[in-house]
């Protein structure tokens, strides 16, 4: 469906793919992820990690909202393009304010207020664009009306939080995130529209790639100002192995099966499946990758900075937990994603997640390079096990359609 003239928009169809403007939007998102990692890495502690994850939850809600919008209407057509560029500009400012989301730095604007006001503007731009493109869809407009409190209450709570500090501020942030996610779940999925399963799955696959790429960047940033040495080479290769294993776990089979399941679903069931499997289960999945990036950044500093550390130094506390628990969170999210999407129970990933958490106290007493090697080895073994154990199923999933064409 198109509308002529300046207001022309083009609705997404089943075979639609992600547009280059959406990929451009993702570049701003990855900058925000980089800022979150840097915020947590500056003074790593349980408190800073918690605050970083709350900021991530807010940023994720922004991104996923625009992913839903761009699945209804093409992001690079008509007035929607202008709305998207406006959102990108505000998102960029919000990303700059990430390090000051909980505390203002001396000089300049009040950082927490900049973040909160930016969040409010992003929600209003999103709601306004969605309302404009839903002109002939009464069901979607009704859903948007039900959803409007989610666009107003959480930003309001963050604005109040900008005037506070300590536990009160933290409590307001938690309340904002809980309201956002809880209200959307409470109102159901009946009025939401998912025009293209291919587009929606591709968008989330791309954001997983973006997040994994940010973890690779974190490896480089950790040793960027240090001379190349054998410990750095070994640590970098092991870190890249971890990132590669995360890619393998998602894209080898799981992403394909989930997209096919989403393609078969229709109507409200499709919207509900997309909401749970992608919007909700991809939150801990990408959060896990961000935590891994934090751990890898600190890991490479320990391995490569000979002036501050030796190879016998141990990675412990929040950085070690971030690396191991980040992977565990990623695996647990995969278990939920697979179960909700196509009914598979990935017990081996659940077992490995539990093992990783149990290993943290032991790895706290091992040299940093050893804890990284153990993590890389476990992930490689998991992928190897699945490759061999499910070889026939894997081959059919990945190549059945290709074989039929030939």
């Amino acid at each position: 469906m198109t509308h002529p003239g300046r207001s022309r928009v083009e609705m997404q169809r089943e075979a639609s793919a992600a547009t280059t403007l959406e990929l451009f939007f993702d570049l701003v998102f990855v900058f925000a992820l980089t800022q979150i990692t840097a915020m947590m890495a500056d003074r790593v502690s349980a408190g800073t990690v918690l605050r970083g994850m709350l900021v991530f939850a807010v940023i994720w809600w922004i991104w996923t909202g625009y992913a839903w919008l761009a699945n209804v209407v093409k992001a690079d057509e008509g007035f929607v393009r202008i709305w998207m560029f406006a959102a990108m500009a505000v998102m960029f400012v919000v990303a700059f304010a990430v390090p000051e989301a909980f505390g203002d730095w001396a000089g300049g604007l009040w950082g927490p207020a900049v973040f909160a006001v930016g969040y409010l503007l992003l929600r209003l731009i999103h709601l306004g664009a969605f309302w404009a493109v839903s002109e002939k869809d009464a069901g979607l407009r009704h859903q948007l009306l039900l959803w409007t409190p989610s666009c107003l209450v959480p930003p309001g709570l963050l604005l109040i939080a900008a005037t506070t500090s300590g536990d009160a501020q933290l409590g307001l942030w938690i309340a904002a995130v809980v309201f956002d996610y809880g209200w959307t779940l409470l109102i159901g999925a009946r009025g939401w529209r998912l025009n293209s399963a291919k587009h929606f799955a591709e968008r989330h696959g791309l954001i997983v790639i973006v997040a994994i790429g940010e973890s690779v960047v974190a490896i480089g940033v950790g040793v960027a100002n240090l001379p190349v040495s054998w410990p750095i080479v070994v640590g970098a290769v092991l870190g890249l192995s971890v990132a590669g294993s995360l890619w393998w776990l998602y894209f080898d089979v799981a992403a394909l099966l989930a997209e096919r399941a989403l393609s078969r679903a229709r109507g409200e069931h499709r919207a509900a499946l997309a909401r749970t499997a992608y919007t909700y289960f991809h939150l801990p999945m990408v959060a896990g990758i961000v935590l891994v990036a934090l751990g890898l950044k600190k890991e490479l500093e320990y391995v490569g900075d000979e002036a501050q550390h030796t190879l016998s130094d141990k990675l412990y506390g929040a950085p070690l937990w971030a690396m191991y628990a980040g992977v565990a969170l990623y695996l647990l999210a995969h278990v939920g994603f697979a179960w909700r999407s196509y009914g598979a129970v990935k017990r081996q990933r659940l077992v490995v997640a539990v093992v990783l958490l149990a290993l943290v106290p032991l790895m706290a007493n091992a040299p940093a390079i050893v804890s990284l090697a153990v993590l890389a080895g476990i992930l490689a073994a998991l992928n190897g096990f699945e490759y061999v154990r499910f070889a026939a199923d894997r081959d059919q999933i990945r190549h059945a359609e290709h074989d039929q064409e030939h």
Side-chain angles (χ1 to χ4, degrees):
M1 180 179 69
T2 59
H3 300 285
R6 293 182 181 179
S7 63
R8 179 183 183 275
V9 296
E10 185 174 343
M11 307 306 287
Q12 291 281 24
R13 301 185 180 186
E14 187 62 54
S16 296
T19 65
T20 54
L21 183 56
E22 291 170 87
L23 304 184
F24 191 14
F25 185 89
D26 288 352
L27 295 178
V28 182
F29 180 78
V30 74
F31 174 59
L33 292 185
T34 302
Q35 289 283 83
I36 293 170
T37 302
M39 167 190 171
M40 294 187 295
D42 186 39
R43 293 180 181 177
V44 186
S45 67
T48 56
V49 171
L50 173 59
R51 287 171 173 80
M53 288 294 96
L54 287 171
V55 173
F56 170 75
V58 169
I59 296 296
W60 173 258
W61 208 240
I62 295 168
W63 180 87
T64 195
Y66 283 91
W68 278 87
L69 170 65
N71 192 267
V72 172
V73 62
K74 287 191 174 181
D76 59 350
E77 291 289 347
F79 68 86
V80 181
R81 177 185 296 190
I82 306 303
W83 287 86
M84 290 295 290
F85 273 115
M88 288 169 61
V90 179
M91 181 73 171
F92 205 35
V93 174
V94 168
F96 273 109
V98 163
E100 298 181 76
F102 284 89
D104 184 54
W105 293 351
L109 300 173
W110 186 258
V114 171
F115 186 95
V117 170
Y119 185 46
L120 174 61
L121 289 175
L122 282 165
R123 300 303 299 274
L124 293 178
I125 292 170
H126 178 254
L127 183 62
F130 235 140
W131 185 264
V133 303
S134 65
E135 179 182 0
K136 297 184 178 181
D137 190 336
L140 179 54
R141 284 210 161 176
H142 176 70
Q143 189 74 1
L144 290 171
L145 286 173
L146 291 176
W147 193 58
T148 297
S150 179
C151 299
L152 301 176
V153 174
L157 291 173
L158 294 191
L159 283 169
I160 298 172
T163 66
T164 64
S165 61
D167 291 342
Q169 183 186 54
L170 189 62
L172 286 166
W173 268 79
I174 293 173
V177 170
V178 169
F179 189 97
D180 247 345
Y181 287 76
W183 186 264
T184 301
L185 191 63
L186 182 65
I187 64 174
R190 179 173 298 177
W192 295 121
R193 305 291 183 252
L194 196 82
N195 291 348
S196 172
K198 176 184 176 181
H199 171 272
F200 202 70
E202 181 183 11
R203 291 290 290 119
H204 286 77
L206 289 170
I207 214 62
V208 171
I209 282 286
V210 163
I212 293 175
E214 201 275 330
S215 70
V216 174
V217 171
I219 296 171
V221 169
V223 293
N225 298 318
L226 302 174
V228 177
S229 63
W230 277 112
I232 287 178
V233 170
V234 173
V237 171
L238 289 173
L240 188 61
S241 174
V242 170
S245 289
L246 299 182
W247 173 90
W248 189 303
L249 288 163
Y250 185 87
F251 290 100
D252 187 53
V253 170
L256 299 174
L257 288 173
E259 180 183 342
R260 292 170 191 173
L262 190 62
S263 296
R264 291 191 297 269
R266 293 291 181 269
E268 182 183 351
H269 175 62
R270 173 184 278 197
L273 176 58
R275 182 195 60 187
T276 307
Y278 287 89
T279 298
Y280 283 91
F281 275 122
H282 275 64
L283 166 72
M285 195 181 297
V286 179
I289 299 172
V290 173
L291 290 173
V292 172
L294 170 63
L296 289 176
K297 186 178 189 308
K298 288 299 181 180
E299 175 77 42
L300 266 292
E301 289 178 3
Y302 271 61
V303 170
D305 191 352
E306 297 177 351
Q308 302 293 327
H309 301 282
T310 67
L311 281 179
S312 63
D313 283 352
K314 303 169 182 63
L315 186 70
Y316 58 91
L320 181 62
W321 274 104
M323 191 166 65
Y324 271 68
V327 174
L329 182 61
Y330 181 78
L331 292 172
L332 292 173
H334 268 266
V335 173
F337 174 57
W339 170 76
R340 182 64 180 90
S341 296
Y342 48 93
V345 180
K346 294 186 175 291
R347 296 180 181 85
Q348 68 279 3
R349 298 190 181 188
L350 178 60
V351 169
V352 171
V354 173
V355 168
L356 288 174
L357 293 175
L359 279 175
V360 173
L362 179 62
M363 290 298 102
N365 295 307
I369 192 70
V370 172
S371 63
L372 178 57
V374 169
L375 179 62
I378 290 174
L379 287 175
L382 173 60
N383 280 317
F385 169 80
E386 292 186 346
Y387 186 89
V388 174
R389 174 67 177 79
F390 306 108
D393 292 338
R394 177 185 176 276
D395 184 68
Q396 183 178 13
I397 292 164
R398 290 184 58 84
H399 304 296
E401 294 182 358
H402 176 77
D403 291 342
Q404 290 174 5
E405 291 173 0
H406 293 80

